[in-house]
């Protein structure tokens, strides 16, 4: 997916209009498998933080692109991030937070070096002061912090500081992000050029889903919390669909999205070696002392559970509204 386009700053590009400036090139969702695959299928740009992966150990081959590689902003290490970027070759890379002009310049220098090997990667520097904004050249995307970072963009800057620049909005709920989009792109009496909203990301959907809530434009909805057929994965998937519709309605959703036609998945399924405890997850009986041996199931929550019998597997799965990663292929049934 080609995102990188730094030929000209915003003021000399075709994004002068309010409509063009607010439309993103991508909307990212950072999570593990299988949530990343569901997001990709809906057109989101998948990815993860540099100290994580898609957690796809059960998959023999997984060609899910690393669309966005975020940095570990609580424990930053530029050399480590560079190594990860060269390994994964992401479409988008959040290289780090710049708390002063000197730190911003160090990131700029690193990006210039990386561009020889990663010419198609859109790198983002997250300024944490006005001086850092000014030190970052116009062709490099600015990261506008709106989520749970210690220093948020609106705390040290005004919208005019970001206008005329290429911007990625980092975190914050969709209504808060939309407010930023409006502040940075809507026409002004002084004729300030709009910012070019290159992209945005928000990963808060999974947290709500764990409590049976899905996201809507009107807030969190728990109407499906007690439904037997609702799982965390289905709830996240529903929220993603709602989120996509929200950005489409507001003219932010991109015209083109990552393609999934060539994404191939070969799933090996859980094995007896994946069981971490001899106790049946449902009744605590020893799964190794049964006549047939353990039943094993891998769920989209990431848990791998062992059971002493099919009845325990079925009861535990049904009572907790669990969903397997890949249907029947995620359940190991011992031979009769």
């Amino acid at each position: 997916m080609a995102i990188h386009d730094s030929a000209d700053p915003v003021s000399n590009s075709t994004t002068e209009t309010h409509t063009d400036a607010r439309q993103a090139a991508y909307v990212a969702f950072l999570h593990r498998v299988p949530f990343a695959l569901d997001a990709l299928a809906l057109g989101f740009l998948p990815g993860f933080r540099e100290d994580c992966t898609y957690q796809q150990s059960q998959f023999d081959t997984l060609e899910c692109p690393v669309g966005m590689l975020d940095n570990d902003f609580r424990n930053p290490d530029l050399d480590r991030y560079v190594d990860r970027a060269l390994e994964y070759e992401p479409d988008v890379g959040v290289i780090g937070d710049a708390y002063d002009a000197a730190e911003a310049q160090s990131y700029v220098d690193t990006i210039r070096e990386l561009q020889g090997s990663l010419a198609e990667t859109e790198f983002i520097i997250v300024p944490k002061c006005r001086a850092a904004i000014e030190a970052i050249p116009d062709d490099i995307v600015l990261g506008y912090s709106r989520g749970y970072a210690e220093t948020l963009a609106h705390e040290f800057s005004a919208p005019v500081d970001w206008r005329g620049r290429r911007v990625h909005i980092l975190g914050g709920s969709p209504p808060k992000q939309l407010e930023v989009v409006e502040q940075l792109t809507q026409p002004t009496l002084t004729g300030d050029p709009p910012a070019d909203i290159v992209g945005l990301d928000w990963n808060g959907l999974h947290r709500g889903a764990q409590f049976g809530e899905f996201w809507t434009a009107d807030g969190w909805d728990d109407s499906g919390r007690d439904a037997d057929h609702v799982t965390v994965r289905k709830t996240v998937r529903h929220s993603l669909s709602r989120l996509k519709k929200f950005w489409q309605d507001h003219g932010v959703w991109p015209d083109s999205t990552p393609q999934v036609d060539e994404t191939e998945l070969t799933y090996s399924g859980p094995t007896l070696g994946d069981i971490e405890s001899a106790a049946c997850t449902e009744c605590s009986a020893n799964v190794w002392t049964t006549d047939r041996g353990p039943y094993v199931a891998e769920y989209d929550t990431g848990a791998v559970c062992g059971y002493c019998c099919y009845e325990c597997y079925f009861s535990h799965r049904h009572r907790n509204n669990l969903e397997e990663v890949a249907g029947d292929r995620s359940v190991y049934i011992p031979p009769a």
Side-chain angles (χ1 to χ4, degrees):
M1 180 182 180
I3 293 173
H4 189 71
D5 182 9
S6 58
D8 295 294
V10 174
S11 58
N12 295 323
S13 72
T14 58
T15 57
E16 289 286 344
T17 67
H18 171 66
T19 300
D20 290 340
R22 67 190 284 122
Q23 185 171 36
Y26 59 86
V27 177
F29 181 71
L30 280 58
H31 214 309
R32 61 175 175 81
V33 169
F35 306 102
L37 293 174
D38 293 338
L40 178 62
L42 286 168
F44 289 85
L45 187 71
F48 48 77
R49 204 172 65 185
E50 59 169 299
D51 57 326
C52 304
T53 66
Y54 284 131
Q55 300 179 29
Q56 69 275 28
S57 60
Q58 290 294 327
F59 295 86
D60 293 331
T61 61
L62 175 60
E63 297 181 5
C64 184
V66 182
M68 178 173 166
L69 182 66
D70 200 0
N71 75 312
D72 183 2
F73 72 92
R74 297 192 187 280
N75 182 32
D77 185 314
L78 184 56
D79 291 335
R80 183 187 63 218
Y81 185 87
V82 168
D83 290 342
R84 298 292 186 272
L86 291 172
E87 176 184 358
Y88 295 120
E89 300 182 0
D91 293 312
V92 178
V94 185
I95 196 168
D97 297 355
Y99 286 87
D100 53 44
E103 193 169 21
Q105 186 58 53
S106 71
Y107 287 131
V108 172
D109 294 341
T110 301
I111 289 173
R112 297 305 185 212
E113 293 178 8
L114 284 171
Q115 284 174 336
S117 302
L118 302 173
E120 297 301 318
T121 298
E122 187 77 88
F123 284 106
I124 299 169
I125 301 175
V126 186
K128 295 296 184 177
C129 65
R130 275 197 174 95
I133 295 177
E134 296 171 357
I136 300 170
D138 288 346
D139 65 304
I140 295 178
V141 176
L142 302 178
Y144 188 104
S145 296
R146 193 62 186 91
Y148 58 88
E150 293 180 359
T151 304
L152 301 179
H154 68 273
E155 296 173 346
F156 65 84
S157 65
V160 68
D161 297 318
W162 303 82
R163 282 180 167 267
R165 302 299 299 268
R166 307 175 69 230
V167 175
H168 173 105
I169 303 173
L170 293 156
S173 66
K176 291 180 179 179
Q177 291 184 324
L178 180 60
E179 182 181 4
V180 174
V181 170
E182 295 290 358
Q183 290 175 346
L184 302 189
T185 63
Q186 63 188 356
T188 65
L189 294 176
T190 54
D192 297 321
D196 179 5
I197 305 301
V198 176
L200 57 158
D201 70 274
W202 178 56
N203 309 315
L205 300 177
H206 189 268
R207 182 175 300 178
Q210 291 177 314
F211 297 97
E213 300 178 358
F214 60 88
W215 184 86
T216 76
D218 298 319
W220 292 97
D221 190 317
D222 64 356
S223 60
R225 177 176 294 175
D226 298 324
D228 291 340
H229 65 283
V230 175
T231 64
V232 171
R233 182 179 181 182
K234 288 180 180 178
T235 304
V236 171
R237 196 159 51 216
H238 185 68
S239 291
L240 284 168
S241 297
R242 294 265 190 156
L243 181 58
K244 177 179 179 178
K245 181 65 164 55
F246 176 83
W247 290 126
Q248 287 175 326
D249 290 345
H250 290 285
V252 176
W253 188 260
D255 281 335
S256 61
T257 56
Q259 299 299 312
V260 298
D261 296 341
E262 298 180 359
T263 300
E264 298 179 358
L265 197 61
T266 303
Y267 181 64
S268 60
T271 66
L272 297 178
D274 295 321
I275 300 177
E276 296 182 355
S277 172
C280 173
T281 303
E282 175 67 9
C283 72
S284 299
N286 191 319
V287 299
W288 298 105
T289 60
T290 60
D291 293 337
R292 293 184 60 179
Y295 290 71
V296 189
E298 181 182 20
Y299 299 109
D300 61 11
T301 60
V304 177
C305 299
Y307 304 96
C308 65
C309 62
Y310 184 85
E311 288 73 18
C312 279
Y313 151 68
F314 182 82
S315 296
H316 179 255
R317 177 193 185 279
H318 183 72
R319 188 178 67 258
N320 293 282
N321 298 326
L322 297 172
E323 182 177 0
E324 293 82 2
V325 172
D328 292 342
R329 290 180 294 164
S330 296
V331 182
Y332 170 81
I333 298 179

